[in-house]
Amino acid sequence: MTAQLPEQTGPTQDAQAQGPHPVSERLQHLRAGGVSLMLAIRPDAPPAILYWGEDLGNLDDAQLASITAASAPRQTSNMPEDPILLTVLPENSRSWPGTPGIEGHRDGRAFSTKFATTSWRCDPDGLGGWACVCKAEDVDAELELAVDIELTAQGLAKLRARLTNTGNSPYQLQSLTLALPVPDLADELMDFGGHHLHERAPQRHEFTQGTHVREECRGRTGLDATLLVLAGEKGFDFGTGKIWGVHTAWSGNHRMLAERLPSGERILAGGEVLQPGEITLASDESYESPWLFASFGNGMDELSARFHEYLRTTHPLRRPRPVTGNSWEAVYFDHKLEPLVSLADAFAEVGVERFVLDDGWFSHRRDDHAGLGDWEVDREVWPDGLHPLVEHVRARGMEFGLWVEPEMINPDSDLARAHPDWIMGMPWRLPPESRHQQVLNLAIPEAYDHIHSRLDALIDEYQLTYLKWDHNRDLVEAGNRVTGRATVHAQTLAVYRLIDKLKADHPGLEIESCSSGGGRADLGILERTDRMWGSDCTDAHERQQIQRYTSLLVPPEMLGSHISASENHQTWRRLSLSMRAITAIFADLGVEWDVSKLSAAEREQLAEWIALYKHWRPLLHTGKAIRIDSPDPAFWVNGVVSQDRTRALFAIVPMGTSITAPPGMWRPRGLDPERSYRVEPLEISRSTVDKTPYQPLRWWGEGLTATGKTLAEHGLRIPDLPPDEPVLVSFEEES
Ligand code: DGJ
């Protein structure tokens, strides 16, 4: 069925194509944040993206029409007469032979769709971006589709679809995948792998013919999850090359993919991964996909900055992020009031602003074998509840936060003994335990209510302003043991509901998303929480890589990073305080270390680093993050430049020994090319270089003044630094 399309609404001078198009077709040119997104609306198809990339400027109708004319293919040998029409929901009925936008059926029938647009509108979103809704239907398949397409003020594209069954028979949905085209300039793919303690390891490949799928079926984002699938010009890096990237904003099973067809089409796509039978739409029921985010940039820093700025809009900083002191690597499960009071004193002395009591405070939780689900304070360890500790912490001027793991249950717990059916699994089998725990099915209303009321009561009793929300295992055979049906989708929504409710009922409550470290780090969770724990690996050398790539999506002020013991608990590597501190200050700083055992002099040194962080925190948490690949692989450089480009702080991090002697140059980017900057090593870093037996570099000793352009093009000599002994350099505009 075709329909006359209503006129579009909103500012339109860039919007309507004429000329070769029938009257009822429209080209809608969305422009925001330096990005153009060209939407083609046709009455006989779902919307299609004709162009996504660099802002094309203001285009009149004739110029817009030329976009379609310029790219329309002609039929060639052995191709269907209707050439491939790539829409945001690619359909086989439009000759698309690649990954389908929708897979589903009615007991085997209606297995393919052909949607036709019935109405659409595009409006300014009031924040400097655009919001479009396109409705379509397939009357034969008895399905309706509503696609939201947004271009945010930061230049991020967002796509989401809602599918409704308008027929009388149930419709079994297997997948819904949304897609954006990328041009044939994008020759190289980059995504990320990893594992526990080693999240976000980059991998690169050629964008060859076929499909590169990154699928996570772990019921959480995943420790090995790629947060982005990127396609870019060959050799793209942080500062150069056009890059397009997608991110699926979903904390359950999901995927992202890059696909190249022999006919030349290249797409980036993503959506939720549904388990068999998970979504069956009864008459009038709908399924809503997660948002698929898409970012374009000249260099990865620009692509990444769009995510940072977007999250800064949805999560405006109400106050400086408090420095966290976390008890985990200080005392683990060994909870006793006296040592924890001493820890709180020592935390306060070094400048910690929020004390977080980690795992081990609740019933039966003397180690990780028991207790999850029993969210009552353990009266044997805490005869007066947590009150004496909480009061002490507050008396020392710190806030108090508490660790919880609401979605988990130990078989050895009162909750599991009372409600074995609340554990996820198959009716006839339980999944293998992981860390001695199973998953609690929060899609069961009684289980949800129980956990909600326990968390609610704890927040009320201790006036908690912070929860560290952990999730320490993959979901395996995640089903409802009574109905026998898969339940990851429902679980993900239940967790979102629970967090949203707690936050709505307790204004000001902040939540840290943790999942065996960095296992839950998608925009589905990040849009409703305040911080994510980057990794269970607190080794600063390892953290350099983890943070460099996690921060492509997560802004520094939301990425938790802690200074821990010199001999690291995960890798046994010994690192200096400056390496540990310089790594952690470029994120949301915390301390996770028994600082009560340090000498007064050691505490003083730590306090100095925390004070330095507090001084730079306003810049670090609002500026533009820069990562630099210096030609010498031994030297990693990262920094933050203020939005007005008047100041910057950079770290030069020697990850190994230099390939040349003396080391070569580094070229700080992101400063204003025309302005002059005073360049100085930070006082705290001088001793690092002074310790080396060589003549100091001239610029190191005296500082220098240079323009942003000279610095970016000519650069500065890298100091000869021992491995893992980084330094900090400041840039201040000279007036
Ligand atoms: C895993 C987390 O990532 C750690 O920081 C700690 O909270 C433990 N869980 C506690 O069990």
Side-chain angles (χ1 to χ4, degrees):
M1 190 184 116
T2 58
Q4 265 316 93
L5 297 180
E7 291 297 308
Q8 63 161 70
T9 58
T12 62
Q13 87 283 22
D14 249 353
Q16 298 186 11
Q18 288 167 359
H21 301 288
V23 179
S24 49
E25 291 196 5
R26 298 280 188 275
L27 267 194
Q28 176 77 35
H29 185 190
L30 312 179
R31 296 172 59 206
V35 169
S36 277
L37 192 76
M38 193 81 68
L39 265 189
I41 314 279
R42 299 178 178 87
D44 57 350
I49 294 170
L50 233 52
Y51 172 86
W52 162 41
E54 188 94 45
D55 186 1
L56 296 178
N58 202 13
L59 300 178
D60 64 25
D61 288 354
Q63 290 164 328
L64 273 175
S66 68
I67 300 259
T68 355
S71 52
R74 84 175 195 167
Q75 193 198 1
T76 170
S77 64
N78 202 21
M79 278 177 69
E81 278 170 23
D82 286 346
I84 289 175
L85 176 65
L86 172 62
T87 70
V88 293
L89 189 89
E91 293 177 293
N92 193 235
S93 55
R94 302 184 189 283
S95 311
W96 175 257
T99 299
I102 189 164
E103 287 178 297
H105 58 95
R106 295 180 189 278
D107 202 14
R109 292 170 54 79
F111 66 92
S112 179
T113 61
K114 196 166 190 181
F115 283 101
T117 296
T118 51
S119 71
W120 68 285
R121 56 181 298 155
C122 279
D123 298 302
D125 66 3
L127 300 166
W130 286 86
C132 305
V133 188
C134 304
K135 294 195 172 150
E137 66 181 2
D138 179 337
V139 284
D140 302 311
E142 302 181 300
L143 293 169
E144 268 177 16
L145 179 73
V147 187
D148 294 312
I149 301 175
E150 298 183 4
L151 185 64
T152 71
Q154 302 78 24
L156 269 188
K158 292 173 67 180
L159 276 64
R160 175 176 72 176
R162 194 170 51 262
L163 184 76
T164 305
N165 178 8
T166 54
N168 291 325
S169 58
Y171 181 80
Q172 284 95 31
L173 180 67
Q174 283 169 227
S175 72
L176 199 157
T177 305
L178 294 166
L180 295 98
V182 290
D184 53 9
L185 298 171
D187 262 345
E188 191 170 348
L189 299 179
M190 184 175 185
D191 59 353
F192 304 90
H195 54 77
H196 186 221
L197 308 175
H198 190 68
E199 296 89 338
R200 323 279 108 83
Q203 46 185 22
R204 279 181 181 250
H205 352 232
E206 232 182 282
F207 198 163
T208 49
Q209 204 170 298
T211 311
H212 178 66
V213 190
R214 290 304 309 277
E215 202 160 274
E216 287 292 326
C217 294
R218 301 176 184 277
R220 55 175 167 174
T221 326
L223 290 158
D224 59 332
T226 190
L227 303 185
L228 293 159
V229 169
L230 305 173
E233 288 180 309
K234 208 168 194 58
F236 68 82
D237 60 22
F238 289 108
T240 59
K242 292 189 192 307
I243 312 164
W244 295 261
V246 288
H247 166 79
T248 302
W250 187 244
S251 313
N253 296 341
H254 66 281
R255 66 181 173 165
M256 285 162 241
L257 62 92
E259 186 165 76
R260 176 174 167 182
L261 297 189
S263 43
E265 287 82 2
R266 294 172 198 210
I267 61 164
L268 291 176
E272 182 178 5
V273 173
L274 297 169
Q275 297 186 97
E278 203 167 15
I279 300 288
T280 297
L281 299 177
S283 189
D284 286 332
E285 268 184 4
S286 300
Y287 163 81
E288 188 169 79
S289 77
W291 285 104
L292 179 69
F293 281 75
S295 185
F296 163 79
N298 282 294
M300 285 188 281
D301 282 348
E302 189 179 297
L303 177 144
S304 157
R306 298 190 196 287
F307 287 108
H308 292 187
E309 292 312 314
Y310 171 78
L311 279 165
R312 284 171 180 170
T313 319
T314 56
H315 281 73
L317 274 182
R318 291 190 312 266
R319 55 178 181 148
R321 306 282 313 142
V323 176
T324 296
N326 181 292
S327 67
W328 182 241
E329 288 193 16
V331 301
Y332 293 99
F333 289 107
D334 193 11
H335 283 204
K336 292 188 190 93
L337 181 59
E338 282 313 311
L340 282 163
V341 161
S342 306
L343 183 65
D345 288 341
F347 275 160
E349 189 185 325
V350 296
V352 163
E353 296 159 314
R354 172 191 280 145
F355 182 104
V356 175
L357 184 65
D358 210 284
D359 197 354
W361 55 268
F362 48 97
S363 296
H364 312 125
R365 193 65 170 175
R366 303 286 44 87
D367 55 34
D368 62 9
H369 284 74
L372 291 173
D374 298 344
W375 301 111
E376 306 276 351
V377 176
D378 191 312
R379 291 291 158 171
E380 275 174 33
V381 179
W382 300 97
D384 302 313
L386 300 175
H387 292 288
L389 179 65
V390 175
E391 279 157 24
H392 189 81
V393 163
R394 295 210 170 111
R396 300 304 311 259
M398 294 180 288
E399 297 173 29
F400 185 83
L402 196 60
W403 179 96
V404 289
E405 196 175 1
E407 298 139 87
M408 295 294 156
I409 181 164
N410 282 120
D412 184 1
S413 66
D414 292 343
L415 190 68
R417 283 182 280 274
H419 299 284
D421 290 349
W422 290 3
I423 299 174
M424 282 192 186
M426 306 298 283
W428 49 86
R429 173 170 68 226
L430 277 173
E433 288 177 15
S434 179
R435 208 193 186 205
H436 320 289
Q437 65 198 56
Q438 295 287 7
V439 184
L440 183 66
N441 188 346
L442 291 179
I444 297 174
E446 296 77 13
Y448 175 99
D449 289 344
H450 172 79
I451 292 298
H452 169 255
S453 68
R454 284 311 311 134
L455 293 177
D456 206 44
L458 282 164
I459 295 169
D460 278 344
E461 179 170 0
Y462 294 105
Q463 290 298 294
L464 300 175
T465 50
Y466 193 80
L467 292 177
K468 176 177 173 186
W469 189 297
D470 213 337
H471 178 287
N472 280 309
R473 65 161 294 167
D474 287 343
L475 272 57
V476 173
E477 292 198 323
N480 178 315
R481 297 198 69 207
V482 176
T483 64
R485 301 187 73 89
T487 190
V488 176
H489 175 80
Q491 176 82 351
T492 310
L493 290 177
V495 173
Y496 287 171
R497 229 173 27 246
L498 182 55
I499 291 176
D500 292 347
K501 174 136 183 67
L502 290 171
K503 284 203 140 205
D505 292 348
H506 302 279
L509 175 71
E510 293 190 2
I511 295 181
E512 171 176 1
S513 168
C514 173
S515 184
S516 321
R520 191 146 64 178
D522 56 88
L523 285 176
I525 201 79
L526 290 172
E527 287 218 54
R528 37 179 53 88
T529 51
D530 304 274
R531 180 194 217 229
M532 68 148 297
W533 180 224
S535 175
D536 274 357
C537 184
T538 59
D539 174 323
H541 182 93
E542 301 293 318
R543 270 297 185 116
Q544 281 290 328
Q545 175 234 287
I546 295 169
Q547 290 174 200
R548 197 171 186 83
Y549 295 106
T550 303
S551 73
L552 285 177
L553 183 75
V554 185
E557 66 275 17
M558 291 185 76
L559 176 50
S561 186
H562 295 173
I563 300 174
S564 60
S566 163
E567 183 176 297
N568 184 261
H569 290 193
Q570 293 80 42
T571 62
W572 301 0
R573 191 184 265 132
R574 279 181 178 278
L575 291 167
S576 66
L577 180 58
S578 68
M579 177 65 173
R580 290 176 286 144
I582 288 178
T583 302
I585 64 171
F586 283 91
D588 182 25
L589 178 71
V591 180
E592 189 169 333
W593 179 16
D594 189 355
V595 290
S596 68
K597 302 273 168 34
L598 302 185
S599 67
E602 287 169 320
R603 279 213 286 272
E604 215 171 290
Q605 281 172 3
L606 178 59
E608 225 182 297
W609 279 104
I610 294 177
L612 177 137
Y613 164 77
K614 287 180 182 169
H615 172 77
W616 286 95
R617 180 167 51 186
L619 163 71
L620 293 168
H621 288 178
T622 58
K624 186 168 177 194
I626 307 283
R627 305 97 176 152
I628 297 174
D629 294 306
S630 80
D632 187 335
F635 292 98
W636 289 22
V637 174
N638 66 286
V640 179
V641 178
S642 66
Q643 298 290 350
D644 63 5
R645 296 194 287 179
T646 55
R647 15 178 12 209
L649 185 68
F650 276 86
I652 308 172
V653 187
M655 296 288 282
T657 49
S658 178
I659 52 168
T660 61
M665 308 286 279
W666 68 290
R667 296 174 181 79
R669 258 192 300 108
L671 300 162
D672 185 333
E674 305 303 326
R675 289 188 235 175
S676 267
Y677 295 90
R678 183 77 199 145
V679 186
E680 306 262 10
L682 252 56
E683 207 45 50
I684 205 160
S685 284
R686 283 196 186 273
S687 59
T688 307
V689 173
D690 294 349
K691 263 190 282 183
T692 60
Y694 317 111
Q695 294 267 327
L697 294 169
R698 269 183 59 190
W699 77 266
W700 188 265
E702 301 160 17
L704 59 74
T705 301
T707 65
K709 189 154 195 170
T710 308
L711 291 164
E713 299 296 331
H714 175 70
L716 292 157
R717 176 73 62 189
I718 299 172
D720 200 338
L721 297 166
D724 293 325
E725 288 296 343
V727 290
L728 291 172
V729 181
S730 69
F731 296 74
E732 301 277 355
E733 186 188 3
E734 280 224 322
S735 40

